[in-house]
Amino acid sequence: MATRRKPRKNITRIGGHAVGPATLMMGHGYDPALSEGSLKPPVFLTSTFAFENAAAGKRFFEHITGQREGPAQGLVYSRFNGPNQEMVEDRLAVWDGADDALVFSSGMAAISTLVLALCARNDVIVHSGPLYAAAETLIANIMSRYGVAFLDFPAGATRAEIDAILGRAKRLADERGGKVALVYLESPANPTNVLVDVEAVRAARDAAFPSGEQRPAIAIDNTFLGPLWQQPLKQGAELTVYSLTKYAGGHSDLVAGGVAGEQRLIDQLRQTRNILGTICDPHTAWMLLRSLETLELRMSRAGENAAKVCAFLKDHPKVEGLGYLGFIRDARQQDIFERHCTGAGSTFSLFIKGGEAESFRFLDALRIAKLAVSLGGTETLASHPAAMTHLSVPAERKKALGITDNLVRVSIGIEDADDLIADFAQALDAV
Ligand SMILES: *Cc1c(COP(=O)(O)O)cnc(C)c1O
C-alpha cells in the first residue's frame, strides 16, 4: 500500500549491540511482508502510486510541496519517490551516520541539484580546488550566468588560509547584496589526491559565521574514499556527495548519484529534486541495492589489492613516483589522512619515467587492466588524464594541477593481486 512508506521492522540493534552497516546492507529499509513475501525487493516499475483515500493523498502532498516539514509520508509519483529509491536512501544514510539521504540520476545530477537548492542570485560559493571538472564548470560557467559568484582555495589549505578565504567571501557577498551560500569540498582531489582538512574547514566556518541562520552549509564530494574509508560528517561536513557510478555501484554498469546528511538540508534538496526530476529510476536503484550488499567486500579487496600493487610499483626502475594515499610524504597531509581516513583507497596516480610516448606504451601493453576512464569498479582501469579527461584544460592550469604527460591514473579492482602485479610488470617492461 502506498501509505506504508517504510517497513516497521528495521533491525538496527540486537539488545545493546548496534548492527553494523555491512550487515544492514542486506535488508535495511525493506520488509518482505509488503511485497508478497519476496525475499528480495522487486523493481517497482510504476509512474504513480494509488492513495488509500483522498485524505492520505492530501497529507502526502503537504509534505511533497513543503507545506509541512519532513520527508514524504507516502509514495506519490515516481519523479518524487519510489520504494527502490527509498531503500537505497535508507542504506546510504547508514554508512555516513546521516539523518537521511537522496539518490539522483548521476553524480552530476546530485551536485547540480545541491547547488541549485542552496544558492540564490548574488550569493557566493567557496570551494576547494581542483574539483571534478564538470563540477568546476557548473560553478564557474553555469551558476555565474545566474549571478552566483565563487572563490576557491587549494585543497591542502591551512586553517589560516581557509579563514582568509571565508573572510574574503563574506566581504564579496556583502558587496553583492547576497550571502555566502555554500562551502563545497572535494577530498581527495582528482587527480592530485590532495586531502582537504574538513575539521579545519568546519572550525573556520563556525568562527566566521557564529549565528546559525546565516551559515553556509559544508558539502563534500566523497566519491573517492566513501563511504567505507572516509565519513566526513564525523569531521563536521553537513552533506556528503557521491557519484554512485563509482565504488557504490561498483560494477561499471550504471550511472547514479547520492547525497547524505542533515535532515534540514536534505529536505531542501528533496524539494529541488522534486521540481527538477533528478531522481534515479527504479531499475538503477534496484541495481544499487544489489551493489550495496557487497560494498564492504569489494572496497576492502580493492584497497588490499591497491596496497600490494603500489608496494610493487614503488621502487620499480621505470616508475618516477606514485600519488597514493598509502605513501604520503607531506607531514600535514599525513596528519589530515590520520584524522579523516580509515583507508588509502584504490585509485592513485602513477608517474612513468618519460612522457606521453612512454605512458601510452605502458597503457597499450596492459592486458588485464582495461584502458578506460572512471573508477571504483570490480575491474582495474587505467587512463591518461592529460590526453583524456583533462585534454581541454589549458596547459598552465594542467601544470598547476600536476597533470603531466607521464601521469597515468589507475583504479584497482578486485581481481587477484598477483595477476595485476604480473600485468603491470610486463607493461612496464614494454615501455
Ligand atoms: C565521476 C565523478 C563525479 C560525477 O559523477 P557522474 O556519476 O559521472 O555524474 C563527481 N565527482 C567525482 C569525484 C567523480 O569521480
Side-chain angles (χ1 to χ4, degrees), residues 106-109 111 132 186 221 223-224 243 245-246 255-256 375:
S106 70
M108 279 313 300
I111 296 166
Y132 183 74
E186 183 175 319
D221 186 331
T223 299
F224 276 84
S243 169
T245 312
K246 314 296 166 53
V255 172
L375 60 119

Side-chain angles (χ1 to χ4, degrees), residues 141-169:
N141 298 359
I142 298 183
M143 294 312 292
S144 61
R145 300 207 316 252
Y146 301 96
V148 176
F150 72 92
L151 291 175
D152 62 345
F153 64 92
T158 62
R159 168 71 197 271
E161 290 164 336
I162 299 163
D163 283 339
I165 198 87
L166 287 178
R168 271 180 60 202

Side-chain angles (χ1 to χ4, degrees), residues 25 84 88 91-92 103-104 244-245 248-250 254-257 280-294 298:
M25 289 308 107
N84 297 107
V88 175
R91 292 182 200 181
L92 274 183
V103 281
F104 295 88
L244 301 175
T245 312
L254 62 83
V255 172
C280 84
D281 67 278
H283 184 258
T284 301
W286 184 91
M287 302 253 287
L288 283 166
L289 289 173
R290 172 173 256 209
S291 292
L292 287 173
E293 294 190 14
T294 55
R298 286 183 288 104

Side-chain angles (χ1 to χ4, degrees), residues 389-426:
T389 47
H390 293 69
L391 183 64
S392 62
V393 175
E396 225 165 81
R397 175 99 177 119
K398 264 190 210 168
K399 201 170 165 212
L401 296 180
I403 302 170
T404 49
D405 285 337
N406 69 337
L407 164 61
V408 170
R409 275 295 265 182
V410 179
S411 166
I412 294 289
I414 64 169
E415 302 93 337
D416 187 311
D418 291 336
D419 296 340
L420 292 176
I421 290 170
D423 193 27
F424 279 67
Q426 65 81 26

